[in-house]
Amino acid sequence: MARENAIFRPLRRAGEGREGEKRVKPKRYFDYMLLFMILFLISFGLVMIYSISAYNATKYYDDATLFVRNQAIYAVLGFVLMLIVAKFDYHWYVAKLKIHKKFQPSLLLIGYIICIALQFYVWRWGDGTNGSNRWIPLGKSFKLQPSEITKLLMVLLVAYLAYIAPKKLDHFSGFFRILFYSAPLVFLVAAENFTTALIMVGVVFAVPFITSRKKGYFFFSLALAFVAGIGLIQMEGYRRARIDIWLDIENTPGGYQILQGLYALASGGWFGKGLGNSIQKLGYIPEVHTDMIFTCIIEELGIVGGFFLVAIYGVLLVRLFKVAVHAPDLLGSLIVVGVFVQIAMQAVLNIAVVTNTIPSTGVPLPFISYGGSSLVFLMIEMGFVLNVSNQIDYDAAPQQ
């Protein structure tokens, strides 16, 4: 059995009591609190998408409910997949398939190969804008963003590699093993979607950091990753241009979207103009219902509404932390840590971009921004968290 981490102290799984002990089936409960927070954020997102997108949807498509209807379909699909994922033991997703006595690949390996293929395909033949290919068309109305699948796989991959050899992570050789397997995915994603690759790097560093007892080599590795990130930025002209825009947003044509977003933030005041009363959504901010949605949330609901949304994210992250602490084993803990890092980084990066704290980059606000791939695969990740939560022995675990 893998050694216990100083922070995460896994409980024995059901039926694995000490020799001679009477085995008692643990009490387990569905995590309705976590489910409620997920559904609340999605419902809030649907309300805001309709409020903010209705004008443009009517103007360009003669259908005020187009975007919110599509998002609702994605939400229902994601909800079904989330419950399915939550139903199966999370150990099954990294288990080997007994196809043949000499060929027993794991689901994780199959997923890894599929992600490599999808990322290569979208890099060469995918759809996109501004010199960046990110989507694979699926008919006239739907597109698949492979980086969202890869981001999900990265959580399972890094958690599993840390779980099977935690002691090796006390040394750089163990961490290098994780880097070796994750690097192809990170670089293929970074070629077309630098921000998603950055979030994946966060998982690659955070999960082993939590698992290991010796942390020194991480700081050196972070310095190397920073240098590599600078190199990737310099390789693409549009990425360098975003930094120039950020440094002089008022006098650069490319800063129009962020500047209009700042106007929306400034005009919201403490309590906003009221739901549906945003001015900046009336064609001033392009595609405002996607990555820039937070700006009009502030404009309509004010600073108080924005703080309320950030507080909900905080409560969700605290809940994820508690699930990670009390998970049945180290694998479950690290899966939840990976999801925690992804949601936290994505929310922070989105808010930092729309407030012009960092250069502009495309990253949706979790559960809120319009986008099918992002929402569906984020809900699948939450299915893994619900799966781990549902296997906690509440008789043995400290009160939460």
Side-chain angles (χ1 to χ4, degrees):
M1 179 179 287
R3 66 170 171 80
E4 295 182 2
N5 184 265
I7 297 178
F8 299 107
R9 306 180 186 279
L11 306 170
R12 289 188 301 277
R13 300 182 63 196
E16 292 184 353
R18 293 172 183 168
E19 187 176 354
E21 284 185 352
K22 184 179 179 180
R23 298 181 180 181
V24 180
K25 187 177 180 180
K27 293 182 180 179
R28 292 169 178 168
Y29 307 93
F30 192 84
D31 199 333
Y32 288 105
M33 179 180 176
L34 180 58
L35 180 63
F36 171 78
M37 286 187 288
I38 297 168
L39 294 180
F40 177 84
L41 283 170
I42 293 171
S43 299
F44 179 78
L46 290 173
V47 171
M48 296 311 305
I49 286 172
Y50 177 70
S51 173
I52 292 169
S53 69
Y55 173 82
N56 284 328
T58 302
K59 180 179 178 180
Y60 295 107
Y61 302 99
D62 196 27
D63 184 356
T65 64
L66 175 65
F67 294 114
V68 70
R69 189 172 65 248
N70 286 344
Q71 188 77 347
I73 294 172
Y74 296 135
V76 171
L77 175 61
F79 182 77
V80 172
L81 293 175
M82 179 179 70
L83 294 183
I84 292 174
V85 170
K87 195 69 176 177
F88 293 92
D89 189 326
Y90 57 89
H91 296 86
W92 182 81
Y93 296 103
V94 297
K96 292 183 178 180
L97 298 176
K98 296 181 179 180
I99 298 176
H100 187 270
K101 62 180 181 180
K102 293 184 178 180
F103 182 64
Q104 298 183 8
S106 68
L107 285 174
L108 196 58
L109 175 61
I110 295 172
Y112 184 88
I113 295 172
I114 290 174
C115 285
I116 290 286
L118 286 174
Q119 289 302 152
F120 182 79
Y121 179 89
V122 78
W123 174 54
R124 294 300 305 270
W125 301 289
D127 281 357
T129 57
N130 298 324
S132 179
N133 298 332
R134 297 182 180 181
W135 293 275
I136 297 175
L138 299 175
K140 294 181 178 180
S141 303
F142 299 95
K143 293 181 179 181
L144 174 67
Q145 191 168 3
S147 60
E148 295 297 332
I149 307 176
T150 306
K151 192 168 61 173
L152 185 155
L153 179 91
M154 186 64 74
V155 171
L156 296 178
L157 176 66
V158 176
Y160 178 71
L161 292 175
Y163 168 71
I164 60 176
K167 292 183 179 180
K168 292 183 178 180
L169 289 172
D170 291 342
H171 308 284
F172 179 76
S173 58
F175 181 55
F176 179 79
R177 184 165 176 262
I178 292 178
L179 291 178
F180 177 80
Y181 285 105
S182 61
L185 293 172
V186 170
F187 281 106
L188 280 171
V189 172
E192 305 299 335
N193 194 333
F194 182 79
T195 310
T196 299
L198 181 63
I199 294 172
M200 291 167 59
V201 170
V203 174
V204 170
F205 277 85
V207 171
F209 186 83
I210 288 292
T211 311
S212 66
R213 292 176 297 185
K214 298 179 181 179
K215 318 289 187 182
Y217 65 84
F218 281 98
F219 300 102
F220 175 73
S221 301
L222 276 173
L224 292 179
F226 179 78
V227 173
I230 296 296
L232 287 172
I233 291 174
Q234 295 300 320
M235 285 172 60
E236 296 289 348
Y238 72 92
R239 291 174 184 161
R240 295 195 303 270
R242 286 178 178 178
I243 295 179
D244 296 334
I245 292 168
W246 176 61
L247 294 174
D248 190 13
I249 190 170
E250 293 183 346
N251 301 311
T252 308
Y256 174 82
Q257 184 180 42
I258 296 297
L259 189 60
Q260 294 298 321
L262 293 176
Y263 291 155
L265 293 171
S267 62
W270 283 104
F271 300 101
K273 298 176 179 178
L275 190 65
N277 294 326
S278 167
I279 300 299
Q280 296 304 113
K281 71 180 182 183
L282 304 178
Y284 294 99
I285 304 177
E287 302 293 331
V288 65
H289 54 289
T290 56
D291 301 346
M292 296 293 291
I293 195 169
F294 188 75
T295 60
C296 284
I297 290 176
I298 298 294
E299 186 181 9
E300 294 192 353
L301 304 182
I303 296 174
V304 172
F307 274 123
F308 176 76
L309 178 58
V310 172
I312 294 297
Y313 280 123
V315 173
L316 175 64
L317 292 174
V318 168
R319 187 63 185 174
L320 294 183
F321 177 79
K322 288 184 176 181
V323 173
V325 168
H326 299 302
D329 61 4
L330 187 60
L331 176 62
S333 293
L334 296 180
I335 289 174
V336 180
V337 168
V339 176
F340 177 101
V341 171
Q342 282 196 8
I343 293 176
M345 287 188 66
Q346 197 166 316
V348 169
L349 286 172
N350 178 273
I351 295 173
V353 165
V354 301
T355 56
N356 202 39
T357 306
I358 63 174
S360 175
T361 185
V363 55
L365 191 62
F367 302 106
I368 307 296
S369 293
Y370 177 82
S373 295
S374 175
L375 180 61
V376 169
F377 289 102
L378 187 56
M379 292 183 74
I380 292 175
E381 288 185 9
M382 297 310 298
F384 285 110
V385 177
L386 287 169
N387 190 307
V388 175
S389 175
N390 296 344
Q391 296 193 45
I392 295 174
D393 183 345
Y394 285 94
D395 287 333
Q399 292 296 316
Q400 299 186 50

